[in-house]
């Protein structure tokens, strides 16, 4: 069975590290992260993750815009 590829977008290094460690399972694989929306969009199209986790603590509008652009 192929693993589900997950990418994290966020600006909090500690949260990204926590999520990365939680994503190391038999079913999931952490494929990358981005710290800003411009980089994130490029990485999403380059890495083709199955799931993108948006870890936003302060900039909800940018996170929503990014989600719309990915969709």
């Amino acid at each position: 069975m192929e693993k589900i590829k997950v990418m994290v977008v966020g600006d909090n290094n500690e949260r990204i590290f926590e999520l990365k460690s939680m994503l190391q399972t038999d079913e999931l694989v952490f494929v990358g992260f981005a710290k800003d929306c411009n980089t994130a969009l490029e990485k999403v199209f380059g890495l083709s993750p199955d799931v993108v986790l948006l870890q936003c603590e302060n900039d909800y509008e940018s996170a929503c815009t990014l989600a719309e652009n990915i969709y």
Side-chain angles (χ1 to χ4, degrees), residues 31-54:
V31 294
F33 71 94
K35 296 182 99 179
D36 64 72
C37 292
N38 294 330
T39 305
L41 201 53
E42 291 174 21
K43 285 191 172 186
V44 165
F45 292 121
L47 297 172
S48 298
D50 300 306
V51 176
V52 178
L53 295 176
L54 299 177

Side-chain angles (χ1 to χ4, degrees), residues 14-64:
E14 289 180 33
R15 297 279 189 253
I16 291 171
F17 180 75
E18 289 173 13
L19 290 168
K20 180 181 176 182
S21 64
M22 292 177 4
L23 295 171
Q24 295 174 352
T25 70
D26 292 338
E27 296 88 18
L28 304 173
V29 61
F30 178 81
V31 294
F33 71 94
K35 296 182 99 179
D36 64 72
C37 292
N38 294 330
T39 305
L41 201 53
E42 291 174 21
K43 285 191 172 186
V44 165
F45 292 121
L47 297 172
S48 298
D50 300 306
V51 176
V52 178
L53 295 176
L54 299 177
Q55 175 273 315
C56 57
E57 294 180 15
N58 300 317
D59 195 356
Y60 299 109
E61 287 184 36
S62 291
C64 289

